[in-house]
Amino acid sequence: MSSFAQRCGIHDAAREQAVQRLGRLISGQGLELVRFAWCDQHGVLRGKTLVAAAAERALREGVGLVSTLLLKDTSDRTAFKVFEPGGTASLPGFGFANNLLLLADPDSFRQLPWTPATGWLRAQPWFEDGTPVELDTRRVLQRALARLAEAGFTLKCGLEVEFHIYKLQDTQPALDPMQSAWPPPAPAVSLVHPGYNLLAEGWYDQAEEPMRIVQHTAQALGLPLLSLEIELGPSQVEAVFEATDALAAADNMVLFRNAVKMALRRAGYHASFMCRPPFPNIMSSGWHLHQSLCDAGTGRNAFQRDVPKAGTDSSDAAHTLSDLGEHYLAGLLAHARGTTVFCTPTANGFGRFRPNALAPQSVLWGRDNRGALLRVIGGCGDAATRIENRIGEPAANPYLYFASQVHAGLDGIARALRAPRATDAPYAGQGESLPTSLGDALSALEQDTVLCDAFGRGFVDYYTRIKRSEQQRFAAAEDPDEFQRREYFARL
């Protein structure tokens, strides 16, 4: 009798050998538990922990998962009425909190460095009839990258991730049942460095203990960490990663974000990837995405130009980027408003778009300009020529963030769009304004027919419904700051 993985069409002789090798590794390492983890629509890992003896069978037969996990907003409230007739009519395969099955990739195995005798696997959901769950955000990116491959390209991404690390005031805070709420209260914290001294070595030394935990955790998991830095804001830091292919970069971001939160908490710290933590004096955190296309056959950077295009100067995109690179850049600009909700998906993140804050306000690009939405980096003959998108917040789901870039860039290439001249005044009110709230960003997506068609109308309707649940609760909150403390600071 065939296994569930075989019925899904993913289990061949090579995967069977990988499963058997992993079974021997789990036994040989003396592991006791294996976590089967799945990235939800908000970029947060969920899943189940199996005893080690059950892991090998689960790789073939799957792990049960309630389908409502795909239907929840950031508070964990289900945004669809799953027990009412027609409540999930727009979601084929969903209904009545039915079961899905997680199938893990045996090659994704890691041994977790912060907890004893525990392994970890990345998994994706399938329906019980063996068909893929197309709403799974990793699958959304896989579809986008398949479109890119059909055009003859791969996407390379480098990550610069700002976030905050705080010291927990009580390393084992009492979870008072009388104070329990949905979502729960945020933890009480103190700073690990006082801020307002960018890249200060003394501040790094002061924060070295938690930074070492971040370093050791990332490296033990095999993540391509390049540097750890002190950012401008109090308790704000940054991690920079080597560029990799897009799917690996997205997987790395999910694993890094969730792993460092767990490792730091065990040591008495709280890591927050919330854009603007709920304190009077903070600096917003961004997630700057460096991206370039590579020729699928040769691996050459398709954005690289050998010599400036005749008749151009440094304010022209074609002075630095290849023609294809300019078209991709112009596509990102054309769909910047529509992609915003995938890059900045929380109600909190829009407070970052302020003048002179090293964050964008308008749909503009600049030559090595950190105030512009898109920053073109490199020059003729430079194999590292790339476009940096500065709109993202660190809480974004990386699969959706990257997919939005692919779809926007491909439209620019397909229509051979030309980019306007570079800005030298990104905060002077030039260019179309970016959305200023989560609600505005959702509307901008719904009005972008190219993106709706690329993602699929069904996915856009599903995603916007979940995010509107969050936006409506935020708008109705009696205390917006307390809403953000519980919704984002305690959980993201």
Side-chain angles (χ1 to χ4, degrees), residues 119-136:
W120 180 94
L121 288 162
R122 182 185 63 250
Q124 289 183 258
W126 297 75
F127 291 113
E128 289 186 317
D129 65 359
T131 57
V133 178
E134 298 295 348
L135 297 181
D136 172 46

mmCIF file of all heavy atoms in Angstrom, residues 119-136:
data_model
loop_
_atom_site.group_PDB
_atom_site.id
_atom_site.type_symbol
_atom_site.label_atom_id
_atom_site.label_comp_id
_atom_site.label_asym_id
_atom_site.label_seq_id
_atom_site.Cartn_x
_atom_site.Cartn_y
_atom_site.Cartn_z
ATOM 1 N N GLY A 119 15.168 17.552 17.592
ATOM 2 C CA GLY A 119 15.361 17.856 16.184
ATOM 3 C C GLY A 119 14.231 18.733 15.660
ATOM 4 O O GLY A 119 13.206 18.943 16.330
ATOM 5 N N TRP A 120 14.424 19.221 14.441
ATOM 6 C CA TRP A 120 13.461 20.155 13.831
ATOM 7 C C TRP A 120 13.387 19.881 12.339
ATOM 8 O O TRP A 120 14.411 19.626 11.695
ATOM 9 C CB TRP A 120 13.937 21.583 14.087
ATOM 10 C CG TRP A 120 13.060 22.680 13.537
ATOM 11 C CD1 TRP A 120 12.074 23.351 14.208
ATOM 12 C CD2 TRP A 120 13.125 23.260 12.229
ATOM 13 N NE1 TRP A 120 11.505 24.298 13.391
ATOM 14 C CE2 TRP A 120 12.120 24.275 12.169
ATOM 15 C CE3 TRP A 120 13.906 23.024 11.107
ATOM 16 C CZ2 TRP A 120 11.909 25.034 11.020
ATOM 17 C CZ3 TRP A 120 13.686 23.780 9.957
ATOM 18 C CH2 TRP A 120 12.699 24.777 9.928
ATOM 19 N N LEU A 121 12.170 19.944 11.784
ATOM 20 C CA LEU A 121 11.955 19.757 10.364
ATOM 21 C C LEU A 121 10.974 20.802 9.843
ATOM 22 O O LEU A 121 10.004 21.139 10.522
ATOM 23 C CB LEU A 121 11.384 18.361 10.087
ATOM 24 C CG LEU A 121 12.336 17.171 10.244
ATOM 25 C CD1 LEU A 121 11.539 15.889 10.375
ATOM 26 C CD2 LEU A 121 13.301 17.093 9.062
ATOM 27 N N ARG A 122 11.217 21.279 8.632
ATOM 28 C CA ARG A 122 10.294 22.210 7.973
ATOM 29 C C ARG A 122 9.261 21.409 7.187
ATOM 30 O O ARG A 122 9.610 20.494 6.435
ATOM 31 C CB ARG A 122 11.051 23.135 7.026
ATOM 32 C CG ARG A 122 10.156 24.168 6.346
ATOM 33 C CD ARG A 122 10.915 24.988 5.323
ATOM 34 N NE ARG A 122 11.416 24.152 4.239
ATOM 35 C CZ ARG A 122 12.696 23.877 4.045
ATOM 36 N NH1 ARG A 122 13.619 24.380 4.829
ATOM 37 N NH2 ARG A 122 13.071 23.089 3.047
ATOM 38 N N ALA A 123 7.996 21.760 7.360
ATOM 39 C CA ALA A 123 6.925 21.012 6.731
ATOM 40 C C ALA A 123 5.971 21.944 5.997
ATOM 41 O O ALA A 123 5.945 23.157 6.243
ATOM 42 C CB ALA A 123 6.156 20.203 7.779
ATOM 43 N N GLN A 124 5.180 21.356 5.093
ATOM 44 C CA GLN A 124 4.131 22.075 4.376
ATOM 45 C C GLN A 124 2.842 21.260 4.425
ATOM 46 O O GLN A 124 2.875 20.029 4.481
ATOM 47 C CB GLN A 124 4.541 22.350 2.924
ATOM 48 C CG GLN A 124 5.646 23.392 2.799
ATOM 49 C CD GLN A 124 5.995 23.719 1.356
ATOM 50 O OE1 GLN A 124 7.002 23.246 0.839
ATOM 51 N NE2 GLN A 124 5.164 24.519 0.692
ATOM 52 N N PRO A 125 1.674 21.939 4.382
ATOM 53 C CA PRO A 125 0.402 21.231 4.535
ATOM 54 C C PRO A 125 -0.157 20.701 3.218
ATOM 55 O O PRO A 125 0.026 21.296 2.156
ATOM 56 C CB PRO A 125 -0.514 22.318 5.112
ATOM 57 C CG PRO A 125 0.027 23.593 4.537
ATOM 58 C CD PRO A 125 1.511 23.403 4.423
ATOM 59 N N TRP A 126 -0.868 19.582 3.332
ATOM 60 C CA TRP A 126 -1.559 18.931 2.212
ATOM 61 C C TRP A 126 -2.972 18.570 2.658
ATOM 62 O O TRP A 126 -3.211 18.298 3.837
ATOM 63 C CB TRP A 126 -0.828 17.651 1.790
ATOM 64 C CG TRP A 126 0.556 17.899 1.275
ATOM 65 C CD1 TRP A 126 1.662 18.206 2.017
ATOM 66 C CD2 TRP A 126 0.989 17.864 -0.087
ATOM 67 N NE1 TRP A 126 2.756 18.376 1.196
ATOM 68 C CE2 TRP A 126 2.372 18.164 -0.097
ATOM 69 C CE3 TRP A 126 0.349 17.595 -1.293
ATOM 70 C CZ2 TRP A 126 3.114 18.210 -1.274
ATOM 71 C CZ3 TRP A 126 1.082 17.642 -2.469
ATOM 72 C CH2 TRP A 126 2.456 17.943 -2.452
ATOM 73 N N PHE A 127 -3.901 18.550 1.717
ATOM 74 C CA PHE A 127 -5.226 18.032 2.008
ATOM 75 C C PHE A 127 -5.161 16.513 2.114
ATOM 76 O O PHE A 127 -4.248 15.874 1.567
ATOM 77 C CB PHE A 127 -6.227 18.444 0.929
ATOM 78 C CG PHE A 127 -6.538 19.915 0.915
ATOM 79 C CD1 PHE A 127 -6.155 20.716 -0.156
ATOM 80 C CD2 PHE A 127 -7.222 20.497 1.974
ATOM 81 C CE1 PHE A 127 -6.448 22.066 -0.176
ATOM 82 C CE2 PHE A 127 -7.528 21.848 1.970
ATOM 83 C CZ PHE A 127 -7.137 22.645 0.899
ATOM 84 N N GLU A 128 -6.138 15.934 2.783
ATOM 85 C CA GLU A 128 -6.118 14.497 3.011
ATOM 86 C C GLU A 128 -6.266 13.680 1.718
ATOM 87 O O GLU A 128 -5.938 12.500 1.695
ATOM 88 C CB GLU A 128 -7.216 14.109 4.007
ATOM 89 C CG GLU A 128 -6.908 14.582 5.430
ATOM 90 C CD GLU A 128 -7.917 14.090 6.444
ATOM 91 O OE1 GLU A 128 -9.127 14.128 6.129
ATOM 92 O OE2 GLU A 128 -7.502 13.673 7.535
ATOM 93 N N ASP A 129 -6.732 14.349 0.648
ATOM 94 C CA ASP A 129 -6.833 13.632 -0.633
ATOM 95 C C ASP A 129 -5.531 13.674 -1.434
ATOM 96 O O ASP A 129 -5.477 13.205 -2.573
ATOM 97 C CB ASP A 129 -7.983 14.192 -1.474
ATOM 98 C CG ASP A 129 -7.767 15.638 -1.915
ATOM 99 O OD1 ASP A 129 -6.716 16.230 -1.561
ATOM 100 O OD2 ASP A 129 -8.641 16.190 -2.606
ATOM 101 N N GLY A 130 -4.482 14.246 -0.833
ATOM 102 C CA GLY A 130 -3.178 14.262 -1.482
ATOM 103 C C GLY A 130 -2.919 15.461 -2.368
ATOM 104 O O GLY A 130 -1.896 15.504 -3.071
ATOM 105 N N THR A 131 -3.794 16.452 -2.354
ATOM 106 C CA THR A 131 -3.575 17.666 -3.142
ATOM 107 C C THR A 131 -2.933 18.735 -2.259
ATOM 108 O O THR A 131 -3.193 18.807 -1.053
ATOM 109 C CB THR A 131 -4.892 18.200 -3.736
ATOM 110 O OG1 THR A 131 -5.825 18.429 -2.679
ATOM 111 C CG2 THR A 131 -5.464 17.212 -4.723
ATOM 112 N N PRO A 132 -2.096 19.597 -2.838
ATOM 113 C CA PRO A 132 -1.411 20.624 -2.039
ATOM 114 C C PRO A 132 -2.363 21.720 -1.570
ATOM 115 O O PRO A 132 -3.358 22.026 -2.237
ATOM 116 C CB PRO A 132 -0.368 21.186 -3.011
ATOM 117 C CG PRO A 132 -0.909 20.891 -4.362
ATOM 118 C CD PRO A 132 -1.677 19.609 -4.252
ATOM 119 N N VAL A 133 -2.070 22.289 -0.426
ATOM 120 C CA VAL A 133 -2.822 23.435 0.088
ATOM 121 C C VAL A 133 -2.216 24.682 -0.544
ATOM 122 O O VAL A 133 -1.136 25.136 -0.147
ATOM 123 C CB VAL A 133 -2.762 23.501 1.631
ATOM 124 C CG1 VAL A 133 -3.502 24.729 2.141
ATOM 125 C CG2 VAL A 133 -3.344 22.236 2.235
ATOM 126 N N GLU A 134 -2.902 25.234 -1.532
ATOM 127 C CA GLU A 134 -2.332 26.333 -2.301
ATOM 128 C C GLU A 134 -2.270 27.633 -1.515
ATOM 129 O O GLU A 134 -1.566 28.573 -1.897
ATOM 130 C CB GLU A 134 -3.126 26.539 -3.597
ATOM 131 C CG GLU A 134 -3.099 25.339 -4.542
ATOM 132 C CD GLU A 134 -1.718 25.028 -5.084
ATOM 133 O OE1 GLU A 134 -0.797 25.850 -4.921
ATOM 134 O OE2 GLU A 134 -1.556 23.935 -5.673
ATOM 135 N N LEU A 135 -3.007 27.743 -0.397
ATOM 136 C CA LEU A 135 -2.945 28.948 0.434
ATOM 137 C C LEU A 135 -1.682 28.996 1.287
ATOM 138 O O LEU A 135 -1.365 30.043 1.861
ATOM 139 C CB LEU A 135 -4.174 29.028 1.346
ATOM 140 C CG LEU A 135 -5.534 29.144 0.661
ATOM 141 C CD1 LEU A 135 -6.643 29.248 1.706
ATOM 142 C CD2 LEU A 135 -5.587 30.339 -0.286
ATOM 143 N N ASP A 136 -0.967 27.911 1.390
ATOM 144 C CA ASP A 136 0.302 27.871 2.124
ATOM 145 C C ASP A 136 1.261 28.887 1.517
ATOM 146 O O ASP A 136 1.528 28.859 0.317
ATOM 147 C CB ASP A 136 0.880 26.461 2.039
ATOM 148 C CG ASP A 136 2.283 26.373 2.595
ATOM 149 O OD1 ASP A 136 2.539 26.916 3.676
ATOM 150 O OD2 ASP A 136 3.142 25.766 1.910
#
